[in-house]
Amino acid sequence: MSIWRNFFLGAEPTRGVWPLRRLDVEQARETTIRAMARVGVTRLDPDQPASTLRAGARQSLAIARAMHFGARALIVDEPTAPLTVNQQTLLLQAIVSARTQGLAVLLVTNNPRYAHLVGDRFLLLAHGSVAGLLTRDDVDASDLMRLMAGGEEFSALTEALTALHSELGDR
């Protein structure tokens, strides 16, 4: 399906009166372009197959659709895992755009840097239990990384790798 058909699937805009009502393709195309631009995807041909979009743009399409049709919350589970850095950037911009426009966003990730870039509050889980409930003011990206990696275990690993690196550098 084309990008605009994928965007409107089941809720296509129409014009005219019944029984002469017909699909308003131009409005669908224009609306799709505007909605995708709101999440950072520009220079888009709405007639190209949605399957030709890169993974980040496909996820941005889903976010744009949710925003357009009035979703109040967006739950995104490990969205950046299969993406390149450029695709991750595009997706994170779409997530920030959704949050800025009033959607509640729940981002499930094991990447503390991305979490800190887009998050306001952080819920850390360990073995199925709450290990921490923090805000952006409580923690910076480095602290969040340390906490997610196991606190002191991460510090010990960092020291060991730093020592190993310096030993190898002396050779």
Side-chain angles (χ1 to χ4, degrees), residues 37 161 171:
L161 291 175
R171 292 183 184 176

Side-chain angles (χ1 to χ4, degrees), residues 40-115:
V41 180
T42 57
R43 290 178 280 170
L44 176 75
D45 175 8
D47 292 313
Q48 79 184 59
S51 60
T52 63
L53 292 173
R54 294 182 182 262
R58 278 196 308 269
Q59 291 185 356
S60 295
L61 173 62
I63 293 169
R65 183 184 319 129
M67 290 169 54
H68 177 76
F69 287 106
R72 296 185 315 191
L74 184 63
I75 300 172
V76 190
D77 187 3
E78 292 292 348
T80 59
L83 307 179
T84 66
V85 173
N86 288 339
Q87 292 170 345
Q88 291 173 3
T89 301
L90 179 64
L91 178 62
L92 293 172
Q93 287 173 342
I95 290 170
V96 169
S97 176
R99 189 187 74 189
T100 301
Q101 294 180 33
L103 267 76
V105 177
L106 173 64
L107 173 65
V108 178
T109 185
N110 61 9
N111 187 322
R113 296 234 181 256
Y114 291 159

Side-chain angles (χ1 to χ4, degrees), residues 87-153:
Q87 292 170 345
Q88 291 173 3
T89 301
L90 179 64
L91 178 62
L92 293 172
Q93 287 173 342
I95 290 170
V96 169
S97 176
R99 189 187 74 189
T100 301
Q101 294 180 33
L103 267 76
V105 177
L106 173 64
L107 173 65
V108 178
T109 185
N110 61 9
N111 187 322
R113 296 234 181 256
Y114 291 159
H116 198 268
L117 284 171
V118 301
D120 294 322
R121 289 178 244 157
F122 311 100
L123 175 69
L124 302 174
L125 300 175
H127 309 293
S129 298
V130 175
L133 183 55
L134 306 163
T135 67
R136 179 184 286 266
D137 295 334
D138 296 334
V139 64
D140 65 13
S142 297
D143 288 336
L144 191 58
M145 182 181 293
R146 185 181 54 76
L147 291 168
M148 287 177 67
E152 296 307 317
E153 294 173 21

Side-chain angles (χ1 to χ4, degrees), residues 23-24 32-33 35 51 82 165:
L23 181 63
D24 191 343
T32 301
I33 290 169
S51 60
H165 181 68

